[in-house]
Amino acid sequence: MNTYIKQYTKKELVEDTGRISWTSPSNIALIKYWGKHGKQLPCNPSVSFTLSESKTTMDFSWSIKDGGKDEIVLDFYFENKKNALFEEKIRKFLEDNFELFPFLKYLSLEIESVNSFPHSAGIASSASSMSALALGLCSIENQAFDLNLSDGELLEKATYVARLASGSAARSIFPGIVSWGKSDLEEIKSSDLIASKVEGIADIFKNYHDSIVIVDAGEKAVSSRAGHALMEDHPFREVRFQHANKQLENLITIMKTGDVDKFCEIVETEALELHGLMMNSTPSYTLMRPNTLAVIEKVRKFRSEKGLALCFTLDAGPNVHLLYPDNISREVTEFINSEITEFAENGLVIHDRVGSGPERFL
Ligand code: DP6
């Protein structure tokens, strides 16, 4: 039995109209999720920083629906305009997961979504938007049918639902340092079904900075779905999944001690391994641009010359995330302004940092 499916009927509806609003952040993976199987299950555990500034705000309203029980009634607006493409994607997701939200038989939904970051910034928005969507759906159910879920129960269902919509979104439900996927490590409480906060991490990592250098603001060259599929018969598949587990173990061990130099080493290896896997795939992708490499060179030079723990990580794209502790933020900001901005498209660098997780407003 799926414990995330709540049982209720139309008779138990206590609020037949209502509004709810959630803001949910993006996250940046330190150990990458790359490769999945079954129904959105990861091939290896991943760990991320939940961010603070890069986020999606979603407003939900519901009312009693006219029309057939099996039909989903949804209106979706993105940045104040009706968006048929996103609406179809969400409708498809709800149809595929209808059993998780019995209220869809009785209620119609209107959703308005806005991102804090510019649409053309090349930042993946699926983590922030799909986590906001999951939180909204779980809260509507809880409130309209008076299910009395505790905060913990609601977040647990939300991370489960977010994962089904987009794997990395499962991690955005929680603040700070978050894992998703099964691991034998004692500090890792997540499973392949749900993400969970990693406890016991040294304070220095709790307010780390992530300054995102937008090297190229264009659309992603390879979608996540196609990217994960590249791992299905990748020649290094088994080695990668074993190594990701090892990397995660090493990372959590050093994050408990607060060793920022070792942190740099593991995080950079992991980012380049992700890109190495893409270069070795069939078809092959080189998602780094010349300016990505220029920024990487600059970061390594700064670190060895100044002895300061600035490092980088990469998503499945050309933009560079600069990670550094708060106690060197003055030196790093000067360095970004004088040596890095010239490699960013339109000089765009988004200054973000580790955040406190989603917030409900209404
Ligand atoms: C490289 O979560 O976008 O950012 O589950 O297909 O939606 P789907 O994939 P997605 O993949 C993220 C890949 C990554 C690494 C990571 O965030 O762990």
Side-chain angles (χ1 to χ4, degrees):
M1 202 191 75
N2 185 335
T3 53
Y4 299 110
I5 300 176
K6 307 296 168 198
Q7 303 299 336
Y8 48 85
T9 61
K10 195 173 181 184
K11 280 206 226 95
E12 288 155 276
L13 181 65
V14 291
E15 287 186 30
D16 54 13
T17 61
R19 288 184 63 203
I20 273 174
S21 177
W22 276 95
T23 289
S24 191
S26 185
N27 67 74
I28 179 67
L30 306 170
I31 303 297
K32 311 289 180 182
Y33 147 56
W34 198 241
K36 59 179 164 180
H37 65 101
K39 204 174 174 193
Q40 287 282 106
L41 302 169
C43 292
N44 65 263
S46 55
V47 173
S48 55
F49 279 144
T50 290
L51 297 177
S52 156
E53 302 303 320
S54 309
K55 54 196 179 188
T56 297
T57 298
M58 257 190 207
D59 297 328
F60 301 80
S61 42
W62 73 89
S63 51
I64 298 275
K65 96 177 176 194
D66 311 320
K69 263 184 151 188
D70 301 328
E71 180 205 352
I72 285 165
V73 183
L74 168 71
D75 260 325
F76 186 84
Y77 297 82
F78 179 64
E79 320 242 280
N80 302 318
K81 279 201 220 79
K82 178 99 173 150
N83 190 309
L85 185 72
F86 290 168
E87 184 177 291
E88 257 335 284
K89 281 192 178 166
I90 293 177
R91 188 188 308 283
K92 169 91 178 47
F93 168 71
L94 295 176
E95 278 165 6
D96 290 349
N97 294 284
F98 208 91
E99 78 285 359
L100 274 173
F101 294 109
F103 75 78
L104 293 169
K105 287 188 261 183
Y106 321 123
L107 302 178
S108 65
L109 291 181
E110 191 179 292
I111 304 177
E112 292 184 40
S113 183
V114 176
N115 290 338
S116 66
F117 41 90
H119 188 47
S120 59
I123 291 188
S125 59
S126 74
S128 57
S129 57
M130 292 303 109
S131 54
L133 176 70
L135 287 160
L137 294 170
C138 295
S139 301
I140 292 173
E141 177 180 69
N142 191 32
Q143 189 164 319
F145 292 87
D146 203 14
L147 298 184
N148 252 316
L149 297 185
S150 67
D151 289 351
E153 287 169 324
L154 189 128
L155 295 181
E156 189 175 324
K157 177 161 179 175
T159 178
Y160 178 88
V161 171
R163 183 200 98 239
L164 292 170
S166 178
S168 56
R171 299 185 307 240
S172 279
I173 300 294
F174 300 103
I177 295 101
V178 181
S179 67
W180 166 44
K182 189 181 158 334
S183 157
D184 293 335
L185 267 195
E186 198 191 313
E187 295 78 8
I188 301 293
K189 309 286 184 220
S190 57
S191 71
D192 288 354
L193 300 181
I194 56 168
S196 174
K197 192 168 185 296
V198 184
E199 302 290 353
I201 298 297
D203 284 347
I204 192 155
F205 294 110
K206 294 184 182 156
N207 53 8
Y208 238 62
H209 291 249
D210 176 8
S211 294
I212 313 164
V213 185
I214 308 299
V215 163
D216 185 340
E219 286 282 305
K220 288 211 267 183
V222 54
S223 70
S224 292
R225 180 197 288 258
H228 291 289
L230 296 173
M231 289 309 290
E232 276 166 24
D233 42 25
H234 197 287
F236 304 144
R237 179 184 161 87
E238 295 315 319
V239 182
R240 161 60 192 163
F241 301 146
Q242 262 174 33
H243 192 227
N245 274 281
K246 186 80 201 139
Q247 291 269 83
L248 180 131
E249 215 177 292
N250 292 342
L251 184 77
I252 297 300
T253 308
I254 68 99
M255 286 182 87
K256 277 165 53 184
T257 67
D259 185 339
V260 288
D261 298 318
K262 284 256 163 47
F263 174 86
C264 291
E265 204 176 289
I266 298 173
V267 165
E268 290 189 356
T269 306
E270 183 62 14
L272 295 175
E273 190 161 308
L274 171 72
H275 281 255
L277 289 165
M278 285 188 274
M279 288 194 241
N280 284 307
S281 300
T282 310
S284 157
Y285 291 93
T286 45
L287 301 186
M288 287 190 267
R289 303 270 59 97
N291 281 352
T292 311
L293 289 169
V295 172
I296 289 176
E297 287 300 307
K298 287 271 182 192
V299 167
R300 289 183 158 171
K301 191 157 175 278
F302 174 88
R303 186 165 68 234
S304 71
E305 283 178 5
K306 305 268 182 199
L308 297 175
L310 167 69
C311 65
F312 67 85
T313 189
L314 306 163
D315 257 341
N319 300 328
V320 189
H321 291 247
L322 302 183
L323 304 178
Y324 49 98
D326 191 47
N327 60 11
I328 61 165
S329 68
R330 192 178 50 78
E331 292 90 334
V332 175
T333 308
E334 274 168 22
F335 164 70
I336 292 174
N337 292 340
S338 62
E339 297 194 44
I340 296 294
T341 315
E342 62 184 290
F343 299 110
E345 192 170 325
N346 301 320
L348 184 59
V349 178
I350 296 174
H351 294 285
D352 212 327
R353 54 196 298 176
V354 174
S356 51
E359 262 181 278
R360 184 173 159 180
F361 287 101
L362 263 178

